[in-house]
Amino acid sequence: MQKRPGDIIFRAVKGALIGSGFILPGISGGALAAVFGLYERLILFMANPLKNFKSNVRFFMPVGIGAVVGIFLLSFLISFMLGEVESVARWFFIGAILGTVPTLWHEAGKMGRSTWDIILSVIAGGLMLLFLWFGRPLFSTIEPSMSAWLLAGGLIGLGLLVPGLSPSNFLIYLGLYKGMSDGIKTGDLSVLIPLILGLIGIVLVFAKIMAYIFKVAYAKLFHMIFGIVMASTVMIIPLDYTGFTVWHYAFSIILLALGTWLGWWMGRLEQTVKPTTV
């Protein structure tokens, strides 16, 4: 069956939001891939790239293009995202994640759900909260270099493979965040090439491990992902509202509502519009 143009645009929008998770502080590209229903197929594709190669490339091409666009556009807004606008913009992503919670919960239980799966979800969420809250002092600033950008690319790869892990948080801790965003914005190959190599290297090493876990423990893995997504969502709630005016609060509420609606709408489409063959 022919793929409808709306499906392609839908996946491109998903890709743009997932791409934002690679460079927006507190957001996980892997978590967004999970809530948008792309995580499992993406992991299986990366673990076995030659299996159903043409079909997967056609399916993920709009996602990839959207991700690149999302990353590129956000790189121009980094200076604003690090200021008070970040606290406003984050509410959109919080809403987008909350709106897709029913879909993610349904996805986690499609192979069955036991009491132990729910317990694992709570444990995973609690451990992620502790790690994100108390892990901040463990990081120190490092100087930008090829090895530093390889490390940054590896962190981005982990952010894709491990839902809930926000690579941008670690890059901020390491003092590499602004340099990375500037490098993306200007197309600096000395930054881009190591980033890409680091990302690919991590994906090649760990994708098969994640694919294997899917085969032997689907429900447990996805319930853990659910807990991690919930924890990471809590951690991105802005706490500093210094200088906020009534307009900042109004825009935050509007973006939260818009994001929630978009997430809910995408979740509904994900359940009602099944992928067609290409």
Side-chain angles (χ1 to χ4, degrees):
M1 186 183 299
Q2 183 115 16
K3 184 66 74 174
R4 293 178 296 177
D7 298 333
I8 296 175
I9 295 173
F10 180 45
R11 279 182 276 125
V13 172
K14 285 183 177 182
L17 291 172
I18 292 169
S20 71
F22 296 136
I23 63 172
L24 189 62
I27 308 295
S28 165
L32 290 173
V35 297
F36 293 145
L38 299 176
Y39 180 76
E40 181 183 5
R41 180 168 179 175
L42 181 61
I43 291 296
L44 293 175
F45 176 39
M46 292 187 298
N48 302 281
L50 298 181
K51 185 177 181 180
N52 300 322
F53 178 76
K54 289 185 179 180
S55 175
N56 281 324
V57 167
R58 290 176 182 175
F59 181 84
F60 283 111
M61 187 173 293
V63 179
I65 293 173
V68 171
V69 171
I71 292 172
F72 183 73
L73 291 179
L74 273 181
S75 68
F76 283 92
L77 300 175
I78 287 303
S79 59
F80 295 102
M81 292 298 176
L82 290 175
E84 63 180 14
V85 177
E86 178 186 352
S87 295
V88 176
R90 280 194 184 194
W91 284 107
F92 173 79
F93 288 91
I94 293 170
I97 295 173
L98 292 179
T100 52
V101 164
T103 300
L104 183 57
W105 183 250
H106 176 269
E107 186 72 17
K110 76 176 184 180
M111 299 294 185
R113 178 179 288 120
S114 67
T115 302
W116 178 238
D117 294 330
I118 298 174
I119 293 173
L120 274 178
S121 182
V122 174
I123 292 174
L127 290 176
M128 179 56 66
L129 273 175
L130 290 173
F131 175 75
L132 292 175
W133 186 261
F134 293 104
R136 297 172 183 176
L138 300 178
F139 304 94
S140 58
T141 301
I142 63 176
E143 291 298 322
S145 65
M146 182 174 182
S147 59
W149 299 129
L150 282 170
L151 173 62
L155 288 172
I156 292 173
L158 286 176
L160 178 60
L161 294 172
V162 184
L165 177 66
S166 174
S168 296
N169 283 355
F170 294 100
L171 294 173
I172 290 174
Y173 300 150
L174 297 172
L176 298 173
Y177 181 65
K178 187 66 165 59
M180 181 193 72
S181 61
D182 289 343
I184 294 173
K185 179 176 64 176
T186 60
D188 186 347
L189 295 181
S190 67
V191 174
L192 292 176
I193 292 177
L195 279 176
I196 294 171
L197 291 177
L199 188 156
I200 293 175
I202 288 296
V203 166
L204 290 177
V205 171
F206 289 104
K208 285 187 177 295
I209 296 175
M210 297 300 292
Y212 174 76
I213 296 175
F214 263 122
K215 290 179 63 176
V216 301
Y218 179 94
K220 288 178 173 53
L221 175 62
F222 239 105
H223 279 85
M224 290 176 65
I225 289 173
F226 183 86
I228 291 171
V229 169
M230 293 300 97
S232 63
T233 304
V234 170
M235 288 302 297
I236 68 175
I237 295 175
L239 299 177
D240 184 6
Y241 296 94
T242 304
F244 259 47
T245 67
V246 65
W247 293 108
H248 289 99
Y249 289 110
F251 279 120
S252 296
I253 293 172
I254 291 171
L255 287 177
L256 175 63
L258 180 61
T260 302
W261 173 82
L262 180 63
W264 174 84
W265 177 69
M266 283 188 167
R268 292 285 297 175
L269 282 181
E270 191 63 39
Q271 292 179 346
T272 57
V273 181
K274 301 299 181 183
T276 54
T277 56
V278 290

